[in-house]
Amino acid sequence: MQFTRAIVRPPPASFADGLTRMDLGVPSLPLALEQHAAYCRALQSCGLTLIALPADPAYPDSCFVEDTAVLLPEGAMLTRPGADSRRGEVEGIRASLANAWPVLARITEPGTVDGGDICEAGRVVFIGLSPRTNAEGAAQLAQWLRGLGYEPRLVSIHGIDTILHLKSGLSWLGDGRLLVMGALAGHPEFADFERVVVDDDDLYAANAVRVNDRVLVAAGFPRVEAQLRALGYSPLALDMSEYEKMDGALTCLSLRF
Ligand code: CIR
C-alpha cells in the first residue's frame, strides 16, 4: 500500500495497433498521451518518484507495464505474458527492476502470467486464471509466493467475459477491503475480506489503485467515488477513455513499488 516509486511508459505511435476486445473506436494518440501525463502527475502527487521509460513503438501495448512483472517488497518476478505479441515487453522492463531487486524470478514456458491477473491484498495474493494466465503460470507464481511467505489464492475468471484480467473486476483497497464487480463478489476466496461491490453499470471503475493516501479511480463513475468517500477514502478521478478503448485500465499503466 505504501509505495515510493512507479515504472511508467507512455503509449507509442503504434498504440492503436494493440490488442483489444472493445468496440469503442480507435484511440486518439494525442489524447492518450495527455491522459498518461495526467496519470503520471497523479502518481507524483501521491508522493511517488517515477521511473519513466521511453515509448516503444515495437510493442503497441507496452504502456500497460503492469502485465510484465509482479512486484512485492520481498521479491520481483518477471512474467511471461499470455499474448504472443506482448512477450517481448518483459525484456524492456528487466533493467529498471534490477536495481531494486538484484535477483529476479521469472515465469517460464509453458507458463503464462499477465500482471493484470495478480492482485496483492496484504499477505494474500489472488491469482486470476484467465485467457492470459494459465494454470502452469499460476502454479509457478504460487510456489514462488509461498516461498516469500504469501498465501496465493486462485480465482478463475473463465466464463466472465466482461473482463480481460482479474484486476479488471477487483482491486485491493487496503484495510481488509476489496473493491469488486458483482459477478465476483460472492467468490469463496474473498469471503474473509470486506467487499465493496460496484454496480454492474460501473464495472470499469472496479479497477482502482490505492496509492498511499489516495485511491485513483476512473473518471465518470460518481457512484463509485461516493462509495469510496463513504468509507473514508480520498478518490482521485482520472480520465481513461483512450485506454479503455484498448482494454486497459488504471492499474495497468504502472508498476508500483
Ligand atoms: C492487452 O489486451 O493486453 C492490452 N491491450 C491491455 C492490457 C491491460 N492490462 C491490464 O489490465 N493489466
Side-chain angles (χ1 to χ4, degrees):
M1 282 300 78
Q2 284 301 124
F3 300 112
T4 58
R5 283 174 283 177
I7 297 172
V8 290
R9 193 194 273 288
S14 57
F15 183 51
D17 298 330
L19 303 171
T20 188
R21 308 160 311 142
M22 295 294 171
D23 195 13
L24 296 172
V26 178
S28 148
L29 182 63
L31 185 51
L33 287 167
E34 225 174 85
Q35 292 175 351
H36 195 269
Y39 179 87
C40 290
R41 285 194 300 274
L43 290 179
Q44 287 170 317
S45 77
C46 296
L48 303 199
T49 301
L50 299 187
I51 300 166
L53 305 180
D56 185 350
Y59 295 101
D61 282 312
S62 53
C63 55
F64 301 117
V65 288
E66 175 184 64
D67 291 319
T68 61
V70 177
L71 306 183
L72 294 164
E74 298 84 356
M77 181 171 235
L78 295 170
T79 65
R80 183 167 179 271
D84 285 347
S85 66
R86 301 201 55 193
R87 296 249 159 92
E89 292 175 31
V90 173
E91 274 317 302
I93 294 291
R94 178 214 282 277
S96 18
L97 297 179
N99 275 340
W101 292 275
V103 179
L104 288 173
R106 77 183 302 163
I107 299 290
T108 56
E109 200 177 350
T112 62
V113 169
D114 272 18
D117 281 316
I118 315 308
C119 182
E120 312 99 64
R123 299 311 294 179
V124 171
V125 179
F126 298 108
I127 303 176
L129 292 166
S130 76
R132 299 291 180 85
T133 296
N134 66 15
E136 170 62 27
Q140 290 178 25
L141 178 63
Q143 190 181 12
W144 177 75
L145 288 168
R146 278 190 211 98
L148 297 180
Y150 286 86
E151 181 192 337
R153 297 190 191 176
L154 300 187
V155 177
S156 172
I157 62 160
H158 289 293
I160 306 181
D161 49 14
T162 46
I163 54 174
L164 173 67
H165 289 122
L166 177 62
K167 269 191 293 191
S168 317
L170 178 76
S171 305
W172 167 236
L173 291 172
D175 319 303
R177 276 193 196 111
L178 299 168
L179 184 68
V180 62
M181 71 190 292
L184 281 174
H187 197 289
E189 295 293 10
F190 305 141
D192 52 344
F193 286 80
E194 182 182 333
R195 280 145 287 161
V196 182
V197 183
V198 301
D199 192 280
D200 286 348
D201 292 338
D202 294 338
L203 173 59
Y204 186 67
N207 178 286
V209 198
R210 171 85 191 263
V211 188
N212 302 339
D213 295 334
R214 306 296 305 265
V215 181
L216 311 189
V217 287
F221 300 93
R223 212 168 7 211
V224 175
E225 285 188 51
Q227 283 174 289
L228 292 171
R229 269 201 207 92
L231 291 165
Y233 296 105
S234 170
L236 199 170
L238 291 168
D239 198 349
M240 289 291 291
S241 63
E242 304 317 286
Y243 297 96
E244 185 178 9
K245 290 175 182 170
M246 299 310 292
D247 232 343
L250 285 162
T251 57
C252 29
L253 289 182
S254 61
L255 274 165
R256 303 155 299 278
F257 59 105

